[in-house]
Amino acid sequence: MSTPTPATRNRGVLKAALIVCACAFLFGFAMVPIYRIACEHVFGNKLAQGAASSEKTGAFVEDDTRTIRVQFVASVNSKLPWVFQSEVPSIEVHPGKLTEAWFDAKNNASEAIVGNAVPSVAPSTASLYFNKTECFCFTEQLLNAGESRRMPVRFIVDPKLPKEVTELTLSYTFYENTVATQRVADTGSPLPAS
């Protein structure tokens, strides 16, 4: 039995490294649909695409006889040096009406950081009736050192929301996307290298 030569071992290591890189690349692309599936089926949040198409087809008719109070809760993970808050603590909305709310984020760190927001709606039984048509939670948010940004969320509360539900809470928690932050530090670009 012969011992593999250094060239043969190097080819094996290179082949394994290429397979790992290809798998990591494919995993990165798979994260978006996995996130969307998790939002819809695990967290009960309908996604922008479905809500927008419902809006266009006229599936939602404003019910001006009802008012729902929507509270906003904004927080950051303790490892993320950002300040993040809603511009108002709550608003009153009519089911079926497209509504807009704004959130403010500021990076207090001395370097650029990429964050991702994770949304949730309470009570969980009502989350199926809360439809976001635009949300900053679907994209990476790059804030340079000291940078501030206003971010909108647009939503429609489905008129089919059970009558006993008169209050909803929309919560966002920002987490640092360490992979994207490192990519920005290495390349100066928030986008994946092509």
Side-chain angles (χ1 to χ4, degrees), residues 30-182:
M31 287 305 295
V32 172
I34 289 170
Y35 174 77
R36 291 180 185 270
I37 289 168
C39 276
E40 191 167 348
H41 296 288
V42 177
F43 301 115
N45 293 329
K46 290 185 181 178
L47 299 172
Q49 210 171 18
S53 64
S54 295
E55 180 191 358
K56 287 177 188 169
T57 60
F60 295 123
V61 175
E62 183 177 349
D63 179 358
D64 58 6
T65 65
R66 285 178 72 190
T67 301
I68 307 296
R69 182 171 183 241
V70 179
Q71 296 183 89
F72 301 111
V73 176
S75 62
V76 293
N77 177 276
S78 61
K79 295 180 182 178
L80 182 63
W82 286 12
V83 174
F84 176 58
Q85 59 193 15
S86 63
E87 291 189 352
V88 296
S90 65
I91 56 175
E92 303 283 326
V93 303
H94 293 299
K97 182 178 182 183
L98 180 63
T99 305
E100 180 178 81
W102 289 85
F103 289 77
D104 299 308
K106 181 178 181 187
N107 179 4
N108 288 330
S110 58
E111 67 275 335
I113 297 179
V114 178
N116 285 96
V118 177
S120 68
V121 176
S124 59
T125 55
S127 64
L128 293 173
Y129 303 95
F130 192 89
N131 303 281
K132 291 187 289 295
T133 62
E134 182 179 337
C135 181
F136 51 86
C137 60
F138 301 130
T139 57
E140 294 176 351
Q141 300 296 324
L142 168 65
L143 293 181
N144 291 310
E147 182 181 3
S148 297
R149 179 173 303 143
R150 283 183 85 216
M151 297 175 289
V153 60
R154 292 180 181 90
F155 62 90
I156 302 170
V157 176
D158 192 326
K160 294 178 184 170
L161 178 72
K163 299 287 185 196
E164 65 271 11
V165 179
T166 59
E167 190 170 282
L168 298 171
T169 301
L170 174 61
S171 301
Y172 286 103
T173 302
F174 255 105
Y175 294 88
E176 180 179 359
N177 183 328
T178 53
V179 173
T181 297
Q182 187 60 50

